[in-house]
Amino acid sequence: MALAFDVAGLTDYLHEIFPQVKDDFSIDAMDEQGLRMRLLTAERHLRPGGTVSGPSMFALADCAIYALILSRLGREALAVTTNCSLDFMRKPVAGADVIAEARLLKLGRVLAVADVLMYSEGLGEPVARASMTYSIPPKR
Amino acid sequence: MALAFDVAGLTDYLHEIFPQVKDDFSIDAMDEQGLRMRLLTAERHLRPGGTVSGPSMFALADCAIYALILSRLGREALAVTTNCSLDFMRKPVAGADVIAEARLLKLGRVLAVADVLMYSEGLGEPVARASMTYSIPPKR
Amino acid sequence: MALAFDVAGLTDYLHEIFPQVKDDFSIDAMDEQGLRMRLLTAERHLRPGGTVSGPSMFALADCAIYALILSRLGREALAVTTNCSLDFMRKPVAGADVIAEARLLKLGRVLAVADVLMYSEGLGEPVARASMTYSIPPKR
Amino acid sequence: MALAFDVAGLTDYLHEIFPQVKDDFSIDAMDEQGLRMRLLTAERHLRPGGTVSGPSMFALADCAIYALILSRLGREALAVTTNCSLDFMRKPVAGADVIAEARLLKLGRVLAVADVLMYSEGLGEPVARASMTYSIPPKR
């Protein structure tokens, strides 16, 4: 399926519609297979001890998959998270960026499904896994 | 199972160990059956349009269940979120507090499981549902 | 929401559309709040040691929720399972029937969400928990 | 991590401990990265219309991941499914075998996590996705 944006265009569009997460995430790469997003880990994402918080990991997975869906559907699209399953498997490296590798498993008329593996930068084993379903409302 | 804290004591303890969420959540009630926690909805929890964000809902569910487990296990306890399943079912009421009703389904030697229904204050139908598993490390 | 069937009528309808599970499940009760279904535990549902198998627990949850949705939507309705989250919390009692208590959390235009607690008959604590989402195709 | 079995040895061991699923599943391949298991689709796995049933898909995912864990831990190991998340994404091809591609994401001291994509043989897009957690009891 053709991509509706390049990395710069999708980044601009996300900043436009979600200005509040502008400093949290950046898109590292994107192609026909998937999308790689980075959590720019800062003090506000951490729990005591320096671990990246659960809500920040959730936000990264959700944002990566949302961006992935937009990359196919383009500017007019809406997509609403309806279901999320998350496994927290390892303690993230204190202070390191977290990299999410998202892949699209289904892009249907009313539902999209994708999953994501999340890695502390420089660590070979994933720290978390998520799968999410989005409902795609009909175009107005 | 006897409760290890009353509401005031558990609130103090949560503020001590998670000072960064002190202004986000309050415990409304707690008994043998479960725990009710409130997201004190503020600007920082919202998405454009006034909807409470997904990460804020995740944080509320996680915090309510964590508090519920602590209410049984007491001060020395550790508990680490290992799995979460979330269904987002309705759009939260713009700006309203979100109330989480958590119930403990299992408190084993190594795993605890609980689920939670979340309501926009004043709305009869739940806006979201979550179930979570926590790993309980052995006491040192 | 008014019920489209009584217990006898829904039972007949399930036998008509799913003749292959006729001997596996029975509806114990049904009202505005939810539906109680029973797995009529037999040799074919067991693992070595007498435990009810995971696939049998999945089938019970799926069938209970499907029946619950039909009880509201009636004869013409279609509903397709799109997501399931299951927690296995305790070992079922060897050979005992398993009782599923299902409740409907959302019945929307395109998606329905319900959850279920499952109990070995006579045991106070749930052996498993499930939540499921169904897609409701538009009527032809 | 070294494999504790080859395909023939693991197949024999599964038949020994789960004789009742002997005719349902076969291991197609196995290496350091993962394990491929096949549902030998037969009449008993089908729903009206020829679709592979949800419980059969659950059983395939569970069995593939269980075999994958055993392939690392060997003969003495126990592993108990504690959590499962499943997305049903497409209608399986009527009557076709279903192929599960399982990969291990974590093999810890007390918990193992794996995920699986399931394909109707000959179809490029996955029909379902599952992730599962297993509890690994201490050796006696």
Side-chain angles (χ1 to χ4, degrees):
Chain A
M1 189 175 182
L3 299 178
F5 291 100
D6 62 10
V7 170
L10 183 54
T11 299
D12 285 350
Y13 183 54
L14 286 174
H15 288 182
E16 179 189 326
I17 57 174
F18 284 129
Q20 66 275 58
V21 299
K22 191 181 155 70
D23 302 326
D24 290 336
F25 304 113
S26 73
I27 303 173
D28 273 19
M30 182 172 86
D31 64 17
E32 307 278 311
Q33 266 59 57
L35 182 146
R36 186 181 316 130
M37 186 172 273
R38 170 185 299 265
L39 173 67
L40 302 159
T41 302
E43 192 59 32
R44 67 186 173 283
H45 306 118
L46 304 181
R47 283 279 181 261
T51 297
V52 175
S53 74
S56 298
M57 304 282 282
F58 172 90
L60 171 61
D62 196 24
C63 194
I65 294 176
Y66 187 70
L68 179 57
I69 294 172
L70 286 191
S71 75
R72 311 302 163 106
L73 294 185
R75 224 157 228 287
E76 316 303 302
L78 290 174
V80 179
T81 313
T82 57
N83 174 265
C84 168
S85 159
L86 257 162
D87 292 291
F88 298 100
M89 301 186 291
R90 293 174 181 87
K91 205 180 157 72
V93 174
D97 281 1
V98 184
I99 314 293
E101 302 270 3
R103 62 180 176 174
L104 198 57
L105 299 175
K106 176 188 167 133
L107 184 56
R109 201 179 43 81
V110 296
L111 293 178
V113 180
D115 69 1
V116 61
L117 287 177
M118 291 176 270
Y119 298 85
S120 284
E121 186 160 40
L123 204 68
E125 310 270 17
V127 296
R129 186 209 67 75
S131 39
M132 297 202 176
T133 301
Y134 289 70
S135 170
I136 302 171
K139 287 201 179 171
R140 273 96 20 123
Chain B
M1 189 174 183
L3 298 180
F5 292 100
D6 61 11
V7 169
L10 182 55
T11 299
D12 285 350
Y13 184 52
L14 286 174
H15 288 183
E16 180 189 326
I17 58 173
F18 284 129
Q20 68 274 57
V21 299
K22 193 180 155 71
D23 302 326
D24 289 336
F25 305 113
S26 74
I27 303 173
D28 272 19
M30 180 172 87
D31 64 15
E32 308 278 313
Q33 266 58 59
L35 183 146
R36 186 182 316 130
M37 185 172 273
R38 171 185 298 265
L39 173 68
L40 302 159
T41 302
E43 191 59 33
R44 65 186 175 283
H45 306 119
L46 304 180
R47 285 277 181 263
T51 298
V52 176
S53 74
S56 298
M57 304 284 281
F58 172 90
L60 171 61
D62 196 24
C63 195
I65 294 176
Y66 187 72
L68 178 57
I69 294 173
L70 285 190
S71 76
R72 310 303 162 107
L73 294 184
R75 224 157 226 286
E76 316 303 303
L78 291 174
V80 178
T81 313
T82 57
N83 175 263
C84 169
S85 159
L86 258 162
D87 292 292
F88 298 100
M89 301 186 291
R90 292 174 181 86
K91 206 180 156 72
V93 174
D97 281 359
V98 183
I99 314 291
E101 302 271 3
R103 62 180 176 174
L104 197 57
L105 299 174
K106 174 188 169 133
L107 184 56
R109 201 177 44 79
V110 296
L111 293 178
V113 180
D115 69 1
V116 61
L117 287 179
M118 290 176 271
Y119 298 86
S120 284
E121 187 160 39
L123 202 69
E125 309 271 18
V127 295
R129 186 209 68 76
S131 38
M132 297 202 178
T133 301
Y134 288 71
S135 171
I136 302 171
K139 285 201 177 168
R140 273 90 26 116
Chain C
M1 191 177 182
L3 298 180
F5 292 99
D6 62 11
V7 169
L10 183 54
T11 299
D12 285 350
Y13 184 53
L14 286 174
H15 289 182
E16 180 189 325
I17 57 174
F18 284 129
Q20 66 275 57
V21 299
K22 190 179 157 71
D23 302 326
D24 290 336
F25 305 113
S26 75
I27 302 173
D28 273 19
M30 182 172 87
D31 64 15
E32 308 278 313
Q33 267 57 59
L35 182 146
R36 186 182 317 130
M37 185 172 274
R38 171 185 300 264
L39 173 67
L40 302 159
T41 302
E43 190 60 32
R44 66 185 174 284
H45 305 118
L46 304 181
R47 284 277 181 262
T51 297
V52 175
S53 75
S56 298
M57 304 283 281
F58 172 90
L60 171 61
D62 196 23
C63 194
I65 295 176
Y66 186 71
L68 179 57
I69 294 173
L70 286 192
S71 76
R72 313 301 163 107
L73 294 184
R75 226 157 224 286
E76 317 302 303
L78 290 174
V80 178
T81 313
T82 56
N83 174 264
C84 169
S85 158
L86 258 162
D87 292 291
F88 298 100
M89 301 186 290
R90 292 174 182 86
K91 205 181 158 73
V93 174
D97 280 0
V98 184
I99 314 292
E101 301 271 2
R103 62 179 176 175
L104 198 57
L105 299 174
K106 174 188 168 134
L107 184 56
R109 202 178 43 80
V110 295
L111 293 179
V113 180
D115 69 1
V116 62
L117 287 178
M118 290 176 270
Y119 299 85
S120 283
E121 187 161 38
L123 203 69
E125 311 269 18
V127 296
R129 186 210 67 75
S131 38
M132 296 201 179
T133 301
Y134 288 71
S135 171
I136 302 170
K139 286 200 179 171
R140 274 95 20 121
Chain D
M1 190 175 182
L3 299 180
F5 291 99
D6 61 11
V7 169
L10 183 55
T11 299
D12 286 350
Y13 184 53
L14 287 173
H15 288 182
E16 181 189 324
I17 58 173
F18 283 129
Q20 67 274 57
V21 299
K22 191 180 156 68
D23 302 326
D24 289 336
F25 304 113
S26 75
I27 303 173
D28 273 18
M30 182 173 85
D31 64 15
E32 308 277 314
Q33 266 59 59
L35 182 145
R36 186 182 317 130
M37 185 171 272
R38 171 185 299 263
L39 173 67
L40 301 158
T41 302
E43 191 59 32
R44 66 185 174 284
H45 305 119
L46 303 181
R47 285 276 182 263
T51 297
V52 176
S53 74
S56 298
M57 304 284 280
F58 172 90
L60 171 62
D62 196 23
C63 194
I65 295 176
Y66 187 72
L68 178 58
I69 293 173
L70 286 191
S71 77
R72 312 302 162 106
L73 293 184
R75 226 157 224 285
E76 316 303 304
L78 292 173
V80 179
T81 313
T82 57
N83 174 265
C84 169
S85 159
L86 257 162
D87 292 291
F88 298 100
M89 301 185 292
R90 293 176 181 85
K91 205 180 159 71
V93 174
D97 281 0
V98 183
I99 314 290
E101 301 271 3
R103 62 179 175 175
L104 198 57
L105 299 174
K106 174 189 167 132
L107 183 57
R109 201 178 45 80
V110 296
L111 293 177
V113 180
D115 69 2
V116 61
L117 288 178
M118 290 176 271
Y119 298 85
S120 284
E121 188 162 38
L123 203 69
E125 309 270 18
V127 295
R129 187 210 65 77
S131 39
M132 296 202 178
T133 301
Y134 288 71
S135 171
I136 302 171
K139 286 199 178 169
R140 277 96 19 124

